[in-house]
């Protein structure tokens, strides 16, 4: 798991059927890299979240058949990235 910040929402009108109707969020990790994750929890821009990656990402979705390798597992209530 990794802690990341939600940078925004990604809207894709056309997508593969395996993504179902999952919301997509753009996340930034601690190294500044931007990644796309599916969001089953309803995170908003600016939220700090923890993620599941790899095969665990599919199991973090309500339907484990969703094609993803990065899923938001939860919204962090309190987090100070500077320690």
């Amino acid at each position: 798991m990794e802690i990341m910040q939600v940078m925004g929402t990604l809207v894709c009108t056309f997508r593969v059927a395996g993504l179902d109707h999952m919301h997509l969020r753009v996340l930034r990790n601690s190294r500044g890299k931007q990644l796309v994750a599916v969001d089953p929890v309803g995170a908003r821009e600016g939220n700090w979240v923890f993620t599941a990656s790899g095969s665990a990402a599919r199991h973090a979705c309500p339907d484990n058949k969703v094609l993803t390798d990065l899923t938001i597992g939860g919204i962090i209530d309190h987090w100070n990235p500077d320690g």
Side-chain angles (χ1 to χ4, degrees):
M1 292 187 192
E2 189 172 353
I3 294 174
M4 300 187 193
Q5 188 172 29
V6 178
M7 304 308 296
T9 298
L10 186 66
V11 177
C12 297
T13 304
F14 297 100
R15 57 172 76 187
V16 296
L19 281 174
D20 202 14
H21 296 288
M22 299 295 296
H23 294 283
L24 301 174
R25 305 286 184 239
V26 178
L27 307 179
R28 185 179 61 206
N29 68 12
S30 61
R31 295 174 298 280
K33 183 177 180 180
Q34 291 189 335
L35 304 108
V36 176
V38 297
D39 178 12
V41 297
R44 295 182 180 172
E45 186 174 338
N47 284 152
W48 289 96
V49 297
F50 69 91
T51 59
S53 60
S55 60
R58 289 185 303 135
H59 295 289
C61 290
D63 179 355
N64 66 5
K65 294 177 184 169
V66 171
L67 299 176
T68 182
D69 64 354
L70 187 64
T71 300
I72 296 174
I75 300 168
I76 300 170
D77 293 336
H78 305 285
W79 171 250
N80 183 355
D82 298 326

